[in-house]
Amino acid sequence: MEMLKEKELLIELIFREGAIEFGNFVLSSGKQSNYYINIKKLITNPQALKIIASLIKAKAESFGLEYDKIAGPELGAVPIVVSLALIADKPLLIVRKKKKDYGTGKQVEGEVKIGDRVLLVEDVTTTGGSVLRAAKILEGEGANIVAIIVVVDREEGAKQTLEKEGYTLIPLVTVGELFKYREK
């Protein structure tokens, strides 16, 4: 399926699966919002997960991104990273919110080698705080972040925050596109 048709289908699925809700919500950034994007609702649908992985792979190719591994912060990005790893045939890394206090005490699951080129994936960005933390943790392990691809960017500062830190944020869908679709 061509990228534009897949993107249209993804937007349709976001609404059909109830991955965008309207009301009063507090976001992980602490901000108040009158809508909530819950990609976790969407990624339990195998069709949606395949489309997301396919779109991320195509988007990375269209930007000429070369990467050795795919990473994502827990929890929302994990199914996406696994799906993408399967179709891109690349190893994956999972970044924990905090170090384990048992076993090996690792914060990154999977092997990071010095100089690994990593494509970082996230489900939703608002301010970019959580994905920025993940990027810094991966870099602390020796990885080079080639880009960050997000399923939905809420367009509330993540792109600017990440650019200031030297990262490129590439959204599959923006909240502006979701609202345009809703108006139809």
Side-chain angles (χ1 to χ4, degrees):
M1 201 184 306
E2 76 178 59
M3 200 158 60
L4 187 59
K5 285 202 186 322
E6 280 189 322
K7 181 176 177 172
E8 288 170 1
L9 183 53
L10 175 59
I11 291 170
E12 183 181 309
L13 284 168
I14 287 170
F15 283 92
R16 193 179 336 141
E17 295 292 325
I20 185 167
E21 298 175 51
F22 297 90
N24 293 311
F25 303 94
V26 177
L27 308 176
S28 65
S29 64
K31 286 184 163 189
Q32 297 275 335
S33 179
N34 61 357
Y35 68 95
Y36 182 67
I37 297 171
N38 185 359
I39 295 301
K40 289 163 203 72
K41 267 189 161 178
L42 188 64
I43 57 179
T44 58
N45 173 329
Q47 178 194 17
L49 203 48
K50 284 179 194 172
I51 290 167
I52 289 168
S54 173
L55 278 169
I56 291 172
K57 186 174 186 280
K59 190 68 91 163
E61 288 168 0
S62 75
F63 276 79
L65 300 176
E66 293 184 16
Y67 53 98
D68 306 305
K69 296 183 177 156
I70 302 155
E74 64 171 338
L75 173 77
V78 173
I80 298 166
V81 169
V82 171
S83 301
L84 180 57
L86 289 170
I87 67 167
D89 198 26
K90 304 271 185 184
L92 64 98
L93 305 164
I94 299 168
V95 182
R96 293 177 177 275
K97 289 181 176 139
K98 50 187 168 188
K99 284 186 178 187
K100 294 191 319 185
D101 55 3
Y102 57 92
T104 59
K106 294 172 87 174
Q107 193 162 6
V108 176
E109 295 299 334
E111 186 183 357
V112 181
K113 294 181 184 148
I114 305 291
D116 273 347
R117 298 169 299 174
V118 174
L119 176 62
L120 186 52
V121 175
E122 180 64 298
D123 59 349
V124 178
T125 52
T126 303
T127 62
S130 59
V131 78
L132 178 59
R133 265 190 309 281
K136 296 293 185 187
I137 290 163
L138 288 163
E139 286 180 334
E141 299 276 329
N144 294 321
I145 307 301
V146 297
I148 299 167
I149 298 184
V150 63
V151 179
V152 178
D153 179 18
R154 290 178 54 102
E155 300 178 294
E156 293 184 33
K159 189 172 186 73
Q160 296 79 1
T161 298
L162 293 166
E163 280 176 357
K164 275 187 218 159
E165 295 289 331
Y167 302 107
T168 302
L169 179 68
I170 304 167
L172 295 183
V173 177
T174 64
V175 80
E177 291 170 313
L178 292 178
F179 287 160
K180 277 184 192 158
Y181 176 87
R182 184 179 180 220
E183 289 170 10
K184 287 182 185 178

